[in-house]
Amino acid sequence: MSPAPVPARKLRVATTSLAGCFGCHMSFLDIDEHLFELVELIEFDRSPLTDIKDVGPCDIGLIEGGVCNAENVHVLREFRRHCKTLIALGACAVNGGLPAQRNHLPLSECLREVYQFRPGLENGQIPNDPELPLPLDKVRPIHEVVRIDYFLPGCPPSGPAIWKFLTDLIAGRTPRLAGGLLHYD
Amino acid sequence: MTKQFLLDGQPVPFEDGQTILEAARKAGHYIPSLCWHQDFPPHGSCKLCIVKAAGRHVSACATPAKEGWEVESNTPEMNGERRGLLQMLFVEGNHFCPSCEKSGNCELQALGYEYEMLTPRFRHFFPERPVDASHPDMLLDFNRCIFCELCVRASRDVDGKSVFALTGRGIHKHLAVNAESGRLADTDFSKDDLAARICPVGVILPKGRGFAVPIGERTFDTETIRSKTLKEEES
Amino acid sequence: MSALPATPTDALDGILQRHGHYPTELLQILIEAQDLEGWLPAPTLTHIAQALHIPRSRVEGVAGFYSFLYTQPVGRYRVLFSDNITDRMLGNAELMDALCRKLWIEPGKLSEDGLVSIATTSCTGLCDQGPGMLVNGRAIGQLTHRRINEIAEMIRQQRPLDLWPAEYFQISDNIRRKDSLLNLDMKPGAALSAVVEMGREGWLREVQTSNLRGRGGAGFATAVKWASARNASGEPKVIVCNADEGEPGTFKDRVLLNSYADLVFEGMTLAAWAVGASEGFLYLRGEYRYLLPQLEAVLARRREAGLLGRHILHEPCFDFDIRIHLGAGAYVCGEETALIESLEGKRGTPRIRPPFPVTKGYLGRPTVVNNVETLAKTCLIALGGGEAFAASGTAQSAGTKLLSISGDCAEPGIYEYPFGVPIARILEDCGASDTQAVQVGGAAGVCLAGYEFQRRIAYEDVPTAGAFMIFDGTRDLFDVARAFVHFFAHESCGFCTPCRVGTSLLQGFMDKLADGHGAKADLADIDWLDRLLKNASHCGLGSAAPNPVIDTLQKFRPAYERRLVSLDFEPAFDLDAALAEARQLTARDDPGAHLQTHEEEEK
């Protein structure tokens, strides 16, 4: 892949993980030496890579993970408000993924199983601290909560897939994952 | 002179009675399908083989070819409709590829790759479809059923058992097994049945074997469904 | 296993016996078997499968397909409120609520004592005297709060249906305008005598001259259909009268079967003479089961009179008889190949065409499927000749058409007009005022706005199977379209991907708008779905399903737009409600335990 033409200024990119495992972020780091090319083209805003806590105006937002609780909703909405282009990164963001497999169970059953009935728990109770975000009844793909511009599936998407996707985007091309880069697993 | 029709501008010869899909594949042109199988009569339910013949949308698997027809298949319009149908199949079931043993060997997934489906686009139905693990050798995971009825047909017409049937209607349609208890273990299903290995997705799976071939090295990790289908046609 | 009551096996065996243990009779057997206990327990299905020597899975497949067959217990009083848009306009929802409240029961649920269950069902064909309901399959119209109170009381007292006031079950014909067909006073057998005189060839020529076209809506030339079946190989040939009148807003066949059954059966026999058929079926929709006894009586009378059976009218080679086959709540069975599947005792899934029924239909034999009205009309041709018939109506649409008129008008009912009658004239005749729109041809038909009322009922302009639903200025056309979308989603057979999933997705979008979550982006998605449904569906149900939305989006777009809460995007579900369960589990109600449904409110 030819390096992307350098845009007039560095693009500002924010990333976050909602109900995900950070695997997609790890895969992002798997673009290896392309990271050096990438930092010439972009700068990071809020991201686990920078530890910036609040998202500011950005060109691109990358969202890993689905929406499983109220905090996810707030963060996702923040990203939508601040990012010109919002991308669903990985299987969980695209269709809920592994966390969404609780969707056929009533929430009460999930929480009671974890906090009350698990062997070894005595007098366990479902946490009710107002600090904690409440879980939604179902885990949702992010496109069911805000408008999403692009989708990059995979569990996780491979480093090359992420690199191809980003270089397309930065160069002003509609990203395409042809030639074996597209995977759902 | 053999008869022929035009597929995306290319002449495709055919014999009387041949369908558009059969003739096209024989001539080395790929038209996708999920419910079609060379050993069974056309079914026409998945609609992935949809083409425009003489301006009308038809199922290529069920429509006999006609002399002089102009057929559109590999066009942005038809491929867009196919992508839409794939998205419908993905949202109506529970298709979580990363945790599916069939991933990499699944035709639904492979078609998603072929038609560059990046998102299921619509609201997910997240239906409740309990698995049936009662049988000693085989597992039924209804979450992934696409209602192609290949298992129904194979069990009825080849295995002579009618282990499977569809019941319910519309979006509530579902697979049922031939037992009052509703359990696969209470049928005469066997892992050696044709129905046990005909599922194009991950509903009917053998037990006791998992991830024998690692993800990344499976059928559609190394080859597209297009080239695999056409290669099989040649042999 | 559950402690189910033992099936009265003797009665079941009697039913199986009566149907000769034929697997083709499976649907009829299931319908009658259900009468034993009100539903079909699992052991009953097993027993039927064993007796018919067919796989149990097939029996379960059929039992699961039809709305009126129940594999879970339902009430001893099974109340189904007709839920066509015309019933809704007459307040059926309020009446159903009232009945549920009085009987302490939730819709769709069975009361604890097993006494009663209440739910909705697709249009029952009582639009001219709605709101309508079916109680254990028997139709009651003109529901009012007073009637609902009385019904609740009689159910509580467990009074047998036969002891309910007879006037409840009186269904009026409501014939408002008669023309050639409804004025025909024919002595049974008169048309038959005429065509036997003509000979089979001469009769077929006469039908050809008449230019008669199918009254089911598609308008296929009747003579061509008959000739194709006649020329096709395979015996014995079959005539099917399609009385699966399921199109919402249509009830003309109900009236023909109620008061003109001889014309219908005679028409079938006329078709048999032309085609050389010896077997006939009347496919009667389950909602009209209450007509069964009187129809059987007409058939018996005709057999006695030598108009059915062997050597009809003493013709040596004219054997033909008719059986009535009941449907069980499946609109898709109005599609002729689905109807044939159903006749064969299977799930009503439309077949791949070709082959067409005229060459390979019922059990692979040449089969003619005609609409009730089409067959009745052939009596006119037999008696008056093809030319006279062709002379009425328009050039491309010969003869008259029965319209089932309902909705906002003073005199709903049956109106017979020569083809070519303008919409405006019909509206005037039935006493409609301030008409905003007319839905012609039912849910699958076309929605006409005021500026189109000069258009005419004819195959070449506004074709119709007969439904004519009127909406005045107080109605919201979005609600109308949404009701029809729900109907199609409920009635989709589920065979093909686009219709099975597409009708559900479309229903989801319409509900999203109705629930106050609509966004501009949804309208684009709706457009896209409409096109895919239209293009890719296996049969006419799926391709017609988006019609009401396409029409109303074009002609009544503001009805959609005023429901939008965002010009961009809105989730389809209520985010705050999605936290309700967690709030309850944690007993929290602090601000952090809530989400604003609309994003703007959050800032």
Side-chain angles (χ1 to χ4, degrees):
Chain A
M1 175 56 56
S2 56
V6 181
R9 59 170 178 80
K10 283 191 175 182
L11 297 176
R12 208 165 164 80
V13 177
T15 79
T16 191
S17 179
L18 306 177
C21 68
F22 282 91
C24 298
H25 275 81
M26 299 305 287
S27 200
F28 191 1
L29 298 178
D30 275 345
I31 66 174
D32 295 337
E33 70 272 17
H34 290 309
L35 278 170
F36 296 110
E37 290 168 60
L38 194 64
V39 291
E40 297 299 318
L41 302 170
I42 67 163
E43 57 191 8
F44 281 105
D45 191 87
R46 171 179 169 161
S47 167
L49 308 172
T50 60
D51 223 21
I52 299 172
K53 300 293 184 209
D54 292 305
V55 59
C58 282
D59 297 290
I60 297 170
L62 291 167
I63 310 279
E64 171 191 335
V67 182
C68 87
N69 64 33
E71 194 218 0
N72 294 159
V73 175
H74 292 303
V75 174
L76 184 57
R77 283 174 164 178
E78 280 284 313
F79 267 68
R80 179 67 276 178
R81 272 198 294 272
H82 287 99
C83 301
K84 292 180 202 159
T85 300
L86 202 57
I87 299 164
L89 178 69
C92 301
V94 169
N95 75 352
L98 213 59
Q101 296 197 45
R102 77 153 154 95
N103 284 354
H104 67 279
L105 301 168
L107 182 63
S108 57
E109 214 173 284
C110 295
L111 292 179
R112 290 199 176 112
E113 182 65 31
V114 171
Y115 293 108
Q116 290 181 318
F117 304 140
R118 224 168 32 161
L121 288 180
E122 272 172 48
N123 302 323
Q125 63 163 20
I126 298 169
N128 59 0
D129 191 321
E131 288 271 293
L132 296 172
L134 287 182
L136 299 170
D137 55 355
K138 277 183 170 35
V139 178
R140 303 280 182 167
I142 62 173
H143 76 267
E144 296 191 16
V145 179
V146 301
R147 179 172 51 76
I148 299 299
D149 302 297
Y150 298 100
F151 298 83
L152 174 46
C155 184
S158 66
I162 295 174
W163 177 240
K164 167 71 166 66
F165 200 91
L166 287 178
T167 46
D168 273 352
L169 205 64
I170 293 166
R173 296 185 293 261
T174 301
R176 285 189 67 184
L177 293 176
L181 287 177
L182 175 56
H183 284 281
Y184 301 157
D185 54 15
Chain B
M1 261 303 276
T2 52
K3 294 180 177 176
Q4 62 177 41
F5 64 91
L6 287 181
L7 180 69
D8 298 323
Q10 305 276 315
V12 172
F14 71 94
E15 285 155 31
D16 277 332
Q18 245 179 348
T19 61
I20 295 173
L21 182 134
E22 286 168 325
R25 286 194 182 177
K26 205 164 173 135
H29 302 283
Y30 179 66
I31 294 176
S33 64
L34 277 170
C35 69
W36 187 82
H37 191 289
Q38 69 273 8
D39 298 339
F40 293 95
H43 193 242
S45 68
C46 75
K47 293 286 161 186
L48 263 295
C49 70
I50 191 160
V51 295
K52 222 196 250 181
R56 266 188 60 229
H57 283 72
V58 298
S59 301
C61 75
T63 308
K66 263 203 192 132
E67 171 82 40
W69 255 0
E70 290 193 31
V71 178
E72 297 169 37
S73 175
N74 193 13
T75 63
E77 183 195 359
M78 301 320 298
N79 290 343
E81 292 188 0
R82 287 172 184 143
R83 198 177 305 119
L85 293 167
L86 290 168
Q87 289 167 324
M88 288 180 169
L89 290 171
F90 270 90
V91 296
E92 76 161 331
N94 295 310
H95 297 277
F96 298 112
C97 298
S99 55
C100 177
E101 164 61 20
K102 198 65 178 272
S103 192
N105 298 322
C106 168
E107 293 182 24
L108 176 67
Q109 185 190 56
L111 284 171
Y113 298 166
E114 182 66 33
Y115 292 97
E116 294 184 52
M117 191 197 91
L118 299 176
T119 165
R121 175 174 175 172
F122 297 108
R123 172 184 59 90
H124 285 68
F125 293 11
F126 294 127
E128 209 183 316
R129 299 186 189 166
V131 299
D132 179 349
S134 63
H135 195 275
D137 303 318
M138 302 296 294
L139 174 79
L140 292 183
D141 189 336
F142 299 109
N143 288 295
R144 303 153 183 167
C145 186
I146 56 168
F147 312 107
C148 67
E149 291 186 60
L150 275 170
C151 60
V152 174
R153 293 179 274 162
S155 185
R156 183 188 62 210
D157 302 341
V158 178
D159 303 329
K161 294 182 179 178
S162 291
V163 168
F164 300 104
L166 289 176
T167 186
R169 188 172 83 194
I171 202 67
H172 305 295
K173 189 169 81 163
H174 59 276
L175 208 52
V177 301
N178 193 26
E180 191 177 303
S181 66
R183 286 159 27 106
L184 188 64
D186 297 329
T187 70
D188 52 355
F189 189 56
S190 148
K191 65 179 187 327
D192 301 318
D193 289 353
L194 176 62
R197 49 181 195 278
I198 204 166
C199 180
V201 294
V203 178
I204 307 173
L205 293 170
K207 282 184 168 177
R209 193 167 78 225
F211 295 89
V213 179
I215 290 215
E217 294 171 24
R218 298 183 176 191
T219 312
F220 300 115
D221 292 331
T222 55
E223 185 176 24
T224 66
I225 191 166
R226 174 187 295 267
S227 74
K228 180 172 182 283
T229 307
L230 292 177
K231 234 187 269 172
E232 280 166 3
E233 191 67 43
E234 269 173 38
S235 55
Chain C
M1 286 301 300
S2 53
L4 299 168
T7 305
T9 312
D10 288 346
L12 186 54
D13 286 337
I15 292 167
L16 288 156
Q17 196 84 44
R18 250 199 329 284
H19 290 279
H21 293 92
Y22 291 120
T24 48
E25 293 290 298
L26 177 56
L27 177 56
Q28 306 310 294
I29 291 167
L30 287 170
I31 291 170
E32 290 178 33
Q34 180 166 274
D35 290 344
L36 300 175
E37 295 180 66
W39 66 292
L40 294 163
T44 301
L45 300 185
T46 306
H47 187 87
I48 291 172
Q50 283 165 351
L52 301 182
H53 301 290
I54 57 175
R56 188 187 186 282
S57 55
R58 180 178 156 195
V59 179
E60 191 178 343
V62 173
F65 185 86
Y66 297 90
S67 290
F68 293 167
L69 296 179
Y70 303 96
T71 52
Q72 298 292 324
V74 289
R76 293 194 293 285
Y77 290 87
R78 180 168 36 84
V79 180
L80 294 173
F81 279 84
S82 178
D83 199 24
N84 188 26
I85 182 70
T86 53
D87 296 294
R88 291 188 185 184
M89 284 154 54
L90 293 166
N92 71 336
E94 208 184 306
L95 294 170
M96 183 162 113
D97 271 357
L99 187 61
C100 285
R101 269 199 317 274
K102 282 182 205 312
L103 293 169
W104 293 90
I105 177 178
E106 274 179 67
K109 299 235 170 87
L110 174 63
S111 64
E112 264 173 47
D113 54 1
L115 176 68
V116 58
S117 53
I118 300 174
T120 58
T121 188
S122 299
C123 179
T124 57
L126 297 175
C127 322
D128 55 334
Q129 47 206 299
M133 67 157 59
L134 297 172
V135 184
N136 294 357
R138 294 181 63 180
I140 301 177
Q142 301 181 54
L143 293 174
T144 56
H145 277 287
R146 186 182 165 158
R147 272 201 173 175
I148 289 291
N149 287 343
E150 290 171 4
I151 287 170
E153 197 47 43
M154 289 187 292
I155 289 176
R156 260 202 298 265
Q157 295 167 359
Q158 308 196 31
R159 192 184 300 178
L161 278 185
D162 288 336
L163 302 181
W164 288 23
E167 71 262 22
Y168 275 36
F169 303 107
Q170 266 164 19
I171 305 299
S172 317
D173 281 349
N174 288 332
I175 295 172
R176 311 285 188 181
R177 186 183 196 281
K178 292 184 176 185
D179 208 300
S180 52
L181 183 68
L182 298 180
N183 276 323
L184 181 63
D185 184 18
M186 183 188 80
K187 188 171 164 287
L192 262 177
S193 305
V195 303
V196 166
E197 190 91 356
M198 291 176 207
R200 293 177 200 264
E201 285 292 334
W203 167 225
L204 198 51
R205 268 199 307 279
E206 213 57 51
V207 178
Q208 199 174 352
T209 308
S210 76
N211 287 332
L212 176 66
R213 296 170 67 178
R215 260 46 176 179
F220 195 79
T222 305
V224 174
K225 200 182 254 188
W226 288 9
S228 308
R230 197 184 105 106
N231 298 331
S233 59
E235 295 286 337
K237 292 173 182 172
V238 184
I239 305 294
V240 178
C241 174
N242 183 349
D244 192 42
E245 186 178 47
E247 191 61 57
T250 316
F251 47 87
K252 64 177 176 70
D253 295 345
R254 180 197 87 210
V255 174
L256 287 175
L257 293 168
N258 187 44
S259 299
Y260 297 82
D262 262 305
L263 291 184
V264 178
F265 291 136
E266 184 128 348
M268 289 179 73
T269 318
L270 297 175
W273 174 246
V275 170
S278 56
E279 208 170 344
F281 291 100
L282 178 86
Y283 189 104
L284 184 67
R285 75 184 300 222
E287 289 82 347
Y288 294 168
R289 189 179 181 180
Y290 61 89
L291 293 172
L292 190 60
Q294 67 190 71
L295 289 171
E296 292 286 9
V298 175
L299 285 177
R301 218 165 48 231
R302 292 182 68 86
R303 282 187 200 107
E304 244 164 71
L307 302 173
L308 283 175
R310 283 177 65 75
H311 309 320
I312 292 171
L313 295 177
H314 309 298
E315 276 293 309
C317 297
F318 191 6
D319 301 343
F320 180 70
D321 210 330
I322 298 170
R323 276 188 294 158
I324 300 177
H325 178 106
L326 268 179
Y331 165 74
V332 71
C333 289
E335 197 278 345
E336 60 178 6
T337 61
L339 183 149
I340 290 169
E341 287 282 300
S342 182
L343 271 183
E344 292 182 1
K346 299 177 186 159
R347 294 164 60 82
T349 302
R351 293 176 178 175
I352 291 171
R353 302 183 302 174
F356 290 92
V358 283
T359 54
K360 277 191 175 15
Y362 178 69
L363 302 178
R365 302 191 220 130
T367 303
V368 164
V369 183
N370 279 143
N371 180 264
V372 174
E373 184 183 348
T374 313
L375 289 163
K377 289 267 159 73
T378 60
C379 295
L380 282 173
I381 300 164
L383 293 169
E387 258 178 61
F389 189 89
S392 61
T394 73
Q396 289 175 59
S397 311
T400 62
K401 183 76 194 91
L402 299 190
L403 298 177
S404 318
I405 295 185
S406 63
D408 296 316
C409 64
E411 291 185 71
I414 296 295
Y415 291 71
E416 184 183 14
Y417 286 103
F419 269 117
V421 60
I423 307 290
R425 160 84 197 279
I426 303 167
L427 289 172
E428 197 181 309
D429 288 356
C430 68
S433 56
D434 184 29
T435 303
Q436 183 181 192
V438 183
Q439 182 79 19
V440 185
V446 53
C447 181
L448 300 176
Y451 59 84
E452 297 170 285
F453 291 170
Q454 288 314 311
R455 292 180 64 182
R456 292 163 187 275
I457 298 290
Y459 296 108
E460 63 273 28
D461 191 355
V462 183
T464 174
F468 193 99
M469 290 177 273
I470 302 167
F471 306 103
D472 71 17
T474 65
R475 307 296 176 184
D476 186 334
L477 270 296
F478 172 85
D479 289 336
V480 174
R482 179 164 165 259
F484 291 148
V485 166
H486 276 248
F487 166 76
F488 283 116
H490 176 69
E491 295 295 345
S492 169
C493 79
F495 174 73
C496 72
T497 309
C499 178
R500 181 180 68 248
V501 189
T503 53
S504 273
L505 285 172
L506 198 53
Q507 172 173 306
F509 278 114
M510 296 298 274
D511 290 352
K512 183 174 190 271
L513 263 65
D515 294 344
H517 301 297
K520 196 103 182 181
D522 299 328
L523 299 187
D525 278 332
I526 288 173
D527 267 339
W528 185 90
L529 270 176
D530 286 347
R531 255 198 318 279
L532 192 59
L533 266 166
K534 205 153 226 8
N535 288 340
S537 293
H538 176 65
C539 80
L541 189 157
S543 55
N547 285 355
V549 181
I550 293 173
D551 278 351
T552 49
L553 256 179
Q554 189 197 338
K555 298 169 190 176
F556 301 95
R557 197 174 181 88
Y560 288 73
E561 285 167 339
R562 68 168 167 248
R563 288 187 155 78
L564 304 184
V565 293
S566 159
L567 295 179
D568 180 19
F569 177 95
E570 270 292 309
F573 63 100
D574 185 332
L575 283 157
D576 191 50
L579 291 178
E581 197 179 353
R583 275 195 298 270
Q584 199 208 336
L585 288 164
T586 56
R588 277 179 57 186
D589 199 24
D590 55 282
H594 288 274
L595 276 170
Q596 298 300 328
T597 292
H598 303 301
E599 196 182 341
E600 306 80 64
E601 298 161 15
E602 211 174 72
K603 279 183 280 187

